[in-house]
Amino acid sequence: MTGGTLFEIEPAEPYTNDDLNYNDPDSRVSKEHDDESLRDVKLKTTDVSDWSSYTTVYIGYPIWWGEAAWPVNSFVHGNDFSGKTVIPFCTSASSPLGSSASNLAKLASTGDWKEGQRFNSSANTQTVEDWVKQQS
């Protein structure tokens, strides 16, 4: 819809369904939640082809305990957002956007970060399309 290029933020060690079971205190995400030193998730790459040519960047992520999923932090930390408008959006069944977008902006320290938008599990294509149109 935006005419943009999709870049997938991929952890070097992918998360399994068991890893993502936040109800299990021994799951990977639960351990990362409890020990912030484990949240420096290595990515396959943070290099986006032709990054310098982008003026607008949408960053989408799931909410984990009120924050952007840890791999997103690694992506943001690994890139310079100078001269870019950054539009964050997230998905969550119940958690609000909270400070996730503003925390990413602080981590980046460059770029013009917008407020952000949360989409719940009932959001449909039209809802997302309407929101994207409002960003232009």
Side-chain angles (χ1 to χ4, degrees):
M1 167 143 211
T2 64
T5 303
L6 182 63
F7 176 86
E8 183 177 357
I9 299 171
E10 296 180 86
E13 180 186 334
Y15 287 85
T16 66
N17 285 337
D18 288 341
D19 290 338
L20 295 170
N21 182 357
Y22 63 90
N23 290 313
D24 177 0
D26 291 323
S27 72
R28 180 177 170 189
V29 294
S30 292
K31 289 177 182 177
E32 291 169 349
H33 172 262
D34 295 341
D35 182 352
E36 288 187 30
S37 71
L38 300 175
R39 295 183 192 176
D40 183 18
V41 177
K42 302 293 182 230
L43 302 179
K44 288 184 179 179
T45 185
T46 59
D47 296 329
V48 178
S49 296
D50 207 19
W51 179 250
S52 62
S53 71
Y54 292 97
T55 57
T56 302
V57 176
Y58 286 81
I59 295 184
Y61 53 89
I63 292 288
W64 290 356
W65 287 278
E67 292 297 329
W70 329 134
V72 178
N73 293 342
S74 299
F75 176 79
V76 169
H77 187 261
N79 284 287
D80 180 3
F81 292 87
S82 297
K84 299 182 188 324
T85 298
V86 186
I87 305 170
F89 65 96
C90 68
T91 58
S92 174
S94 60
S95 297
L97 177 71
S99 59
S100 66
S102 60
N103 287 345
L104 290 173
K106 287 177 195 170
L107 179 63
S109 75
T110 59
D112 178 18
W113 287 72
K114 300 304 181 188
E115 184 176 332
Q117 175 70 33
R118 172 194 168 260
F119 295 100
N120 63 28
S121 57
S122 66
N124 59 32
T125 302
Q126 189 63 54
T127 301
V128 175
E129 286 179 0
D130 291 346
W131 175 75
V132 169
K133 287 177 186 171
Q134 291 174 359
Q135 304 313 303
S136 329

